[in-house]
Amino acid sequence: MDRDADKRKERQDRRFIKRETQTAAKYLRRLRELPGAPEGMEPFYQALERIYVQLQAVEREAGRKTVGTYCVMTPPELVYAAGAVPVKLCSGDYTAFSVGDGVVARDACPLVKAVAGFQQTGLMPAYADCALMVVPVTCDCKKKIAGLLADQCEVMTLHVPASREDVDIEDFVTQLYVLMEKLEEVTGSRISYQSLAEGFGKVGYAQYELSEFIRLKKEMLYLIRGSHAMAIMNAASYMPADVWGEALGAVNQSLRKKIAQKEAVTSKKLPRILLTGSPVVFPNVKIPLLVEEAGGIVAGDETCMGERGMWDPAVITDDSFDGMIRALANRALRPCPCPSFADNARRIYRLKQLIQENRIQGVIYHVLRGCLVYDYEYKRIEEELGSLGIPVIRLESDYNEEDIEQLRIRIEAFIELIKLKQAPEKARAAERSF
Ligand code: SF4
Ligand code: SF4
C-alpha cells in the first residue's frame, strides 16, 4: 500500500471509530437516562460500553481465549469446558452496517451486514480477538457470512436442521463432538468430564438468576422497563456467564426490595407491549426506546437476544459425558422457537404463554429488512393473535436512524389504539363494580 492509500485508510478508520463510538454512547446514555431503572445496572452498561465505546476485547481472566458465537445454538458450556470464554457476535451496529452494506448482498439482513462491516474494518477487538468463530447455519444470511468470516478467522459452521426428529438430534450430537475437538485444538485444553460439568455449572448459575428475574417480573407488573431488561440481556453476550449471573443477582435483590415497597417504574397503567421477531441487538434499541417514549412499556420480549437466548436449561437425564453432550444438543434444537425450523408451532405456544404471564395488551412484530424467516411467520402469528383479540403490528426496520420518525408515528398510533381498546373495558369494569 502506498503512503497516500495508507493515509486514506487511516482517515477512514478514524471516521468509522468516531461515528461508531458516538452512536453507541448515545444509545447507552438514553438507556441510562430512562427513569425507573433498578439498582445494579452499571455492570451491564459497562460491558456494552467496553465493547462498543471503548472498543476493547471482552474482559476475562488472563490467558483465556475467546470464541465468537452466533445465534442460540452454540452451547456456551462447551466453550467454557475448553477454558475459553464465548462472546456472541450478532451485531446491531449502524456504522458497521453501513460498511457491510457495500460488502454483502444488497438484500441480506442488517445483522449480518454489521458483522461483515466489523470484519471488513478489523476495528472491533471483540471480533479480531477470537481464536475461533462458531456459526450455526440457520438461514442463508448466516451461511454466507460464515464464508466471509473464514477469510480472516478460523470458522466452524454448525449445521442446524430444519426439523427436530431424533435423526436430526443425532446429527447435531455428532457435530458437537466435532466442535469439541476443534475447541480443544484452538485452546490447547482437553475437555474433561470435570471441565464440562463446570461449564454446566457456570451457565446454570446464570440461568438460575435469569429464571428468578423472570419470576420477579411476573410477581409485580411495571417492575422494570423492557429497555432496561433488554440491556441486561444484550450485555450477556459480552460477559462471562458467572460474572453476568452475579450482576443479575444484585439486580434481583433490588427488584425484591421494590416489590416489598410496592415501587413500580410508573404509577400509570401504561399499555403493556410484547416485542417479538428479528433480534434486537445493541445499539439498535430504537424500537424498545420508542415504545417507552410513546407512553407504552415493553413488558415482554420473545427475541433471541432477549430472555429466549438463555431461557432453556440443558436437562441432563444421563450424567455420563455423552449424556451431557446429548443434553446440549437437545437444548439447542428441541425447545428452540427460532423461525429457521420448518415447523415452528412452539413459537406460537410460547407467545401465547408470554402474553398471558405478562398480561400483554399488544404485540410488536419486528422484522429486520431482509430477514425472510421472521417475515414468513408473521401472517400465521397475526391470525393466531387476532383470534385472541390481541392487536399486533408489523414494524420493518433497518440499522440506521432514517426510519425513526416513521417508526415513532406508527408506534404512537399503536399505543393509542390499545388505550382506546382499554377504555371501554375500564368502563365495563367500573359498571360491574356498582
Ligand atoms: S432468530 Fe434464531 S436463527 Fe435468527 S439470529 Fe436469532 S438465534 Fe439466529
Ligand atoms: S434469522 Fe434473520 S436476523 Fe438472524 S441472521 Fe437470519 S436473516 Fe439475519
Side-chain angles (χ1 to χ4, degrees):
M1 214 189 274
D2 63 30
R3 282 184 55 193
D4 283 351
D6 275 349
K7 281 193 180 147
R8 257 198 319 277
K9 168 90 173 67
E10 223 175 87
R11 276 199 302 275
Q12 263 175 8
D13 287 356
R14 272 205 305 272
R15 268 201 306 275
F16 177 90
I17 290 172
K18 191 170 170 212
R19 273 178 61 200
E20 194 283 328
T21 54
Q22 280 180 347
T23 309
K26 179 173 79 181
Y27 281 95
L28 260 178
R29 198 168 49 244
R30 286 179 65 186
L31 285 168
R32 281 187 163 115
E33 284 170 1
L34 200 64
E39 284 167 28
M41 289 295 294
E42 214 33 50
F44 307 107
Y45 295 145
Q46 280 168 12
L48 296 171
E49 193 161 31
R50 180 183 172 96
I51 301 297
Y52 284 95
V53 183
Q54 296 162 355
L55 297 184
Q56 291 183 35
V58 168
E59 196 167 19
R60 58 195 190 268
E61 286 165 38
R64 289 199 188 264
K65 294 191 168 162
T66 58
V67 170
T69 70
Y70 297 83
C71 293
V72 296
M73 291 84 174
T74 312
E77 292 89 341
L78 264 189
V79 179
Y80 287 121
V85 176
V87 47
K88 201 163 158 198
L89 295 176
C90 290
S91 178
D93 197 275
Y94 298 168
T95 316
F97 158 79
S98 64
V99 174
D101 201 25
V103 177
V104 299
R106 191 194 60 191
D107 291 336
C109 77
L111 187 150
V112 298
K113 283 183 182 172
V115 171
F118 276 137
Q119 191 234 25
Q120 187 76 7
T121 60
L123 294 171
M124 181 60 136
Y127 285 73
D129 192 41
C130 288
L132 171 72
M133 288 197 191
V134 185
V135 187
V137 178
T138 49
C139 63
D140 285 349
C141 284
K142 283 277 158 63
K143 190 187 292 175
K144 299 316 288 179
I145 199 70
L148 194 84
L149 289 167
D151 290 345
Q152 280 174 24
C153 173
E154 181 138 19
V155 169
M156 180 177 161
T157 53
L158 281 178
H159 169 69
V160 179
S163 60
R164 307 165 175 96
E165 304 299 325
D166 289 350
V167 59
D168 300 311
I169 308 286
E170 278 309 311
D171 179 51
F172 205 69
V173 168
T174 310
Q175 291 189 65
L176 291 188
Y177 275 109
V178 177
L179 172 61
M180 198 179 102
E181 281 173 23
K182 179 53 85 184
L183 286 166
E184 289 180 334
E185 186 191 310
V186 296
T187 60
S189 306
R190 207 177 70 77
I191 297 179
S192 63
Y193 184 90
Q194 178 66 22
S195 71
L196 185 55
E198 282 168 13
F200 270 78
K202 247 185 202 180
V203 177
Y205 168 57
Q207 285 179 314
Y208 166 75
E209 289 298 346
L210 176 62
S211 66
E212 184 60 4
F213 177 67
I214 293 171
R215 187 189 68 74
L216 292 168
K217 282 201 303 161
K218 282 191 263 180
E219 204 173 309
M220 188 172 112
L221 295 181
Y222 303 104
L223 183 61
I224 181 170
R225 288 181 189 275
S227 298
H228 290 138
M230 287 175 121
I232 293 175
M233 294 313 302
N234 263 271
S237 298
Y238 315 109
M239 294 167 82
D242 48 344
V243 177
W244 183 83
E246 205 178 319
L248 185 56
V251 168
N252 286 341
Q253 198 51 35
S254 145
L255 295 179
R256 280 185 210 103
K257 261 197 254 161
K258 281 175 172 270
I259 292 174
Q261 291 161 3
K262 297 197 176 13
E263 188 192 323
V265 292
T266 165
S267 55
K268 295 189 188 136
K269 298 279 169 262
L270 305 179
R272 301 175 60 75
I273 306 295
L274 174 77
L275 191 53
T276 183
S278 303
V280 176
V281 195
F282 184 84
N284 182 38
V285 287
K286 60 187 170 190
I287 290 187
L289 285 172
L290 282 172
V291 170
E292 288 173 320
E293 282 168 10
I297 191 162
V298 179
D301 159 25
E302 192 272 329
T303 68
C304 65
M305 285 298 287
E307 288 155 21
R308 186 216 293 178
M310 253 207 280
W311 169 244
D312 298 301
V315 180
I316 302 172
T317 50
D318 156 11
D319 65 2
S320 66
F321 190 90
D322 187 58
M324 288 200 276
I325 298 288
R326 280 169 189 281
L328 294 177
N330 271 298
R331 190 267 316 273
L333 303 188
R334 291 217 198 264
C336 185
C338 277
S340 52
F341 293 100
D343 163 25
N344 205 16
R346 64 204 61 203
R347 180 152 173 247
I348 291 166
Y349 174 79
R350 181 71 188 133
L351 281 171
K352 287 182 177 171
Q353 202 179 32
L354 286 170
I355 287 168
Q356 196 185 30
E357 287 173 355
N358 296 292
R359 297 195 228 157
I360 296 296
Q361 294 159 313
V363 173
I364 290 185
Y365 196 102
H366 172 229
V367 179
L368 284 175
R369 191 154 298 143
C371 179
L372 282 184
V373 281
Y374 271 109
D375 218 1
Y376 259 103
E377 290 197 351
Y378 176 67
K379 267 275 151 250
R380 171 115 192 255
I381 285 171
E382 186 189 32
E383 279 163 21
E384 290 278 348
L385 298 184
S387 68
L388 297 176
I390 302 283
V392 52
I393 183 175
R394 174 186 174 283
L395 293 181
E396 184 171 313
S397 89
D398 221 335
Y399 281 1
N400 55 50
E401 296 187 312
E402 285 156 24
D403 57 5
I404 285 190
E405 285 317 307
Q406 190 213 0
L407 289 169
R408 189 193 304 280
I409 291 167
R410 296 197 61 208
I411 290 171
E412 281 174 357
F414 187 60
I415 303 250
E416 282 311 307
L417 173 92
I418 295 170
K419 284 185 185 160
L420 283 175
K421 209 168 164 284
Q422 273 176 305
E425 280 161 18
K426 271 193 202 151
R428 275 200 299 276
E431 269 170 33
R432 277 199 300 273
S433 67
F434 276 110

